[in-house]
């Protein structure tokens, strides 16, 4: 069933809000996985001028880890962690099936459950290692992101201006929408209050 113009505008506004908050997090060096932002740019059909420059920046940020000699090992550990998570899930399901079908085999069920927990803990330990190494890699290149601060701020401001238009098309009062961001210097927004974790609660002016 086709969406109404109002539904289409609401969907675009929600996507713009999420993208604006993601770009703000990238600007604050709190988000380095730019895949979601790149997807949102494509879905919104933003590709010319400023948006082309922004897309290039987001791709460059995503590729930063690949420039480090340690990256192949980090990627391998991440792959192992994913495999262990799936194995843990399989063992958990097997233990449940064993409990239902092989009544009286408590020892077997116990072995499956313990094995699943061990694999789960190892997988999470590897994930923590991967995250720590990725943070270390990005900390080495943080000046590259900071040097493009103006581009990210301008992109958020333009995105907010477009979002305001979509909200009005949908019959929603822009000032009723709030954002959680790390920076409070956007021309389209005003600070409502200081939130937790160094974030601001913002709303349209």
């Amino acid at each position: 069933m086709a969406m109404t113009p109002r539904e289409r505008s609401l969907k675009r506004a929600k996507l713009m809000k999420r993208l604006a908050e993601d770009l703000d997090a990238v600007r604050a060096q709190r988000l380095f996985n730019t895949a979601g932002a790149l997807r949102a740019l494509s879905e919104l059909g933003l590709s010319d001028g400023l948006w082309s420059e922004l897309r290039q920046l987001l791709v460059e940020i995503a590729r930063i880890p690949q420039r480090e000699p340690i990256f192949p090992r980090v990627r391998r550990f991440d792959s192992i962690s994913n495999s262990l998570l799936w194995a843990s899930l399989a063992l958990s399901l097997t233990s449940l099936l064993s409990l239902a079908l092989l009544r009286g085999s408590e020892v077997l069920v116990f072995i499956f459950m313990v094995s699943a927990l061990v694999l789960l803990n190892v997988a999470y330990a590897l994930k923590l290692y991967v995250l720590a190494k990725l943070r270390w890699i990005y900390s080495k290149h943080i000046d590259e992101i900071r040097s493009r601060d103006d581009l990210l701020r301008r992109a958020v401001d333009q995105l907010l201006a477009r979002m305001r238009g979509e909200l009005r098309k949908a019959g929603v009062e822009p000032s009723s929408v709030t954002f959680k961001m790390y920076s409070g210097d956007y021309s389209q927004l005003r600070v409502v209050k200081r939130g937790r974790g160094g974030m601001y609660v913002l709303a349209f002016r």
Side-chain angles (χ1 to χ4, degrees), residues 21-119:
E21 291 176 337
D22 280 355
L23 294 178
D24 173 77
V26 171
R27 185 185 174 202
Q29 297 99 51
R30 300 297 184 96
L31 176 68
F32 300 109
N33 184 350
T34 60
L38 287 166
R39 267 195 314 272
L41 282 174
S42 297
E43 288 183 43
L44 291 167
L46 302 174
S47 57
D48 298 331
L50 171 71
W51 308 113
S52 176
E53 191 178 354
L54 175 64
R55 177 180 292 277
Q56 182 179 354
L57 172 62
L58 295 176
V59 170
E60 288 174 2
I61 291 173
R63 289 177 177 170
I64 284 175
Q66 299 175 22
R67 287 150 44 187
E68 292 292 327
I70 198 176
F71 181 68
R73 185 171 67 177
V74 172
R75 184 169 55 185
R76 184 168 64 253
F77 281 3
D78 188 50
S79 178
I80 292 171
S81 175
N82 291 334
S83 298
L84 290 177
L85 284 172
W86 281 111
S88 174
L89 177 61
L91 282 172
S92 297
L93 292 175
T94 301
S95 66
L96 291 175
L97 287 173
S98 299
L99 189 62
L101 301 176
L102 304 175
R103 295 178 183 177
S105 302
E106 290 86 357
V107 175
L108 184 61
V109 173
F110 177 76
I111 291 173
F112 283 143
M113 290 181 67
V114 170
S115 299
L117 286 173
V118 170
L119 290 179

Side-chain angles (χ1 to χ4, degrees), residues 147-166:
S147 67
R148 308 304 297 277
D149 181 83
D150 184 63
L151 170 62
L152 289 165
R153 182 184 54 76
R154 286 187 291 115
V156 172
D157 270 331
Q158 288 201 26
L159 195 62
L160 292 169
R162 290 172 180 252
M163 180 182 168
R164 187 193 294 269
E166 294 292 348

